[in-house]
Amino acid sequence: MTRAIVTGAVVAGTDGSAESLAAADWAADDAVRRGLPLRLVQAVPLAGPRERVTRPAWSAHPTADEIGRRHPDLSVTVDQIAEQVLPVLFSAADSAELMVLGTRGAGAVQELVLGSTALTVAGRAPVPVVLVSAASGTGAPSGADGAGDVVLGLDLAAPDGRSVEFAFDEAARRGARLRVVHGWSEPLHDGAGPVDPDQALAAALGAWAEKHPRTPVVTEAVVAAAAAQLAAAASHAALLVLGRRPRTTPVSAHLGSTAHAVLRRVTLPVGIVPHAPAAT
């Protein structure tokens, strides 16, 4: 197990909680699917006015050893960093391919406290962030009831290629079906006039559907304010993917009302994918 910091890894934030251990397990499985190393990051608390480093009560090293036993070919790195949690996670995200965090709150993700560390990072990180609860399952093979599917929540009024690409890639790596749940709150328009929703959907999915011809795709239209329907559609899925629009202020976490509402309703892993920066 190496100690050098690597770039382009799957990064999991760890603190010994059941949620973070579930996140580390999920991250390890996804790192294997991606053919990437896994980096476990642990913030070591600072104590006192002079910010002395305290000895952590829990260490990520045994977790890394257990992951190594399950995945002997996976490169696993542990970094214990003497800094507060948020700076550690944001710094790790800058060099990551994907970040995986455990949800926190009063038990399961339904009681997730908005503004928690996990949501703050998911709302600001430059890379996709997957939020995993202790109740998350590993996902069964795809089936008629939607078990094991990757579900993409797509806003046709503001579709973004990054979330579409992420969802297709995850489905392809799992050999799973992709279910695209899409909706809009008012008639669609572009610079030339009204846009047919079916045409907008085909345009949003086209390039990635061609890249992954073996990935089955099913679509489902929902009405506006679709959080409950989106959560229901993903109730047996392996992963739910949502896009995240750019932040409106330098310090705020901006997931949007739909993402917040969905996170209160589900226990499955949820991937939050930042939209591509606006062209200048």
Side-chain angles (χ1 to χ4, degrees):
M1 187 168 57
T2 63
R3 299 298 178 191
I5 294 177
V6 292
T7 59
V10 175
V11 174
T14 58
D15 62 7
S17 66
E19 292 85 2
S20 79
L21 295 178
D25 285 341
W26 194 96
D29 292 342
D30 209 59
V32 170
R33 284 190 289 265
R34 291 171 177 267
L36 293 175
L38 173 66
R39 181 184 177 200
L40 302 182
V41 175
Q42 179 184 0
V44 179
L46 299 175
R50 297 181 181 178
E51 293 194 328
R52 293 169 297 152
V53 178
T54 63
R55 179 180 294 275
W58 177 86
S59 172
H61 292 288
T63 299
D65 292 340
E66 177 59 30
I67 289 172
R69 284 189 285 271
R70 288 197 297 111
H71 301 293
D73 295 328
L74 176 64
S75 173
V76 183
T77 300
V78 174
D79 287 306
Q80 293 176 314
I81 303 170
E83 181 58 272
Q84 300 302 324
V85 174
L86 281 175
V88 167
L89 294 179
F90 284 129
S91 177
D94 287 339
S95 59
E97 179 83 10
L98 172 70
M99 174 158 278
V100 186
L101 299 174
T103 57
R104 301 303 299 271
V109 71
Q110 292 96 327
E111 301 298 327
L112 190 70
V113 178
L114 301 183
S116 68
T117 296
L119 285 188
T120 300
V121 176
R124 295 173 57 188
V127 297
V129 176
V130 176
L131 303 178
V132 180
S133 79
S136 297
T138 56
S142 291
D145 62 352
D149 289 357
V150 172
V151 175
L152 169 64
L154 185 64
D155 180 4
L156 284 185
D160 181 76
R162 283 187 175 180
S163 59
V164 176
E165 180 180 26
F166 182 86
F168 263 105
D169 286 348
E170 282 288 340
R173 291 187 186 99
R174 297 164 181 270
R177 180 174 58 182
L178 176 63
R179 295 179 65 197
V180 182
V181 180
H182 60 97
W184 58 95
S185 58
E186 56 188 25
L188 300 175
H189 291 80
D190 60 15
V195 175
D196 178 82
D198 291 335
Q199 293 178 347
L201 180 63
L205 303 181
W208 289 276
E210 291 179 5
K211 183 179 177 180
H212 298 288
R214 296 184 180 180
T215 299
V217 179
V218 296
T219 64
E220 178 182 347
V222 298
V223 296
Q229 293 161 293
L230 183 57
S235 59
H236 299 292
L239 177 67
L240 171 63
V241 179
L242 301 173
R244 189 202 81 207
R245 298 189 189 187
R247 292 179 287 122
T248 56
T249 68
V251 296
S252 68
H254 184 71
L255 291 183
S257 59
T258 297
H260 280 278
V262 169
L263 284 166
R264 290 185 180 277
R265 288 175 164 88
V266 301
T267 57
L268 79 159
V270 178
I272 304 296
V273 183
H275 285 202
T280 57

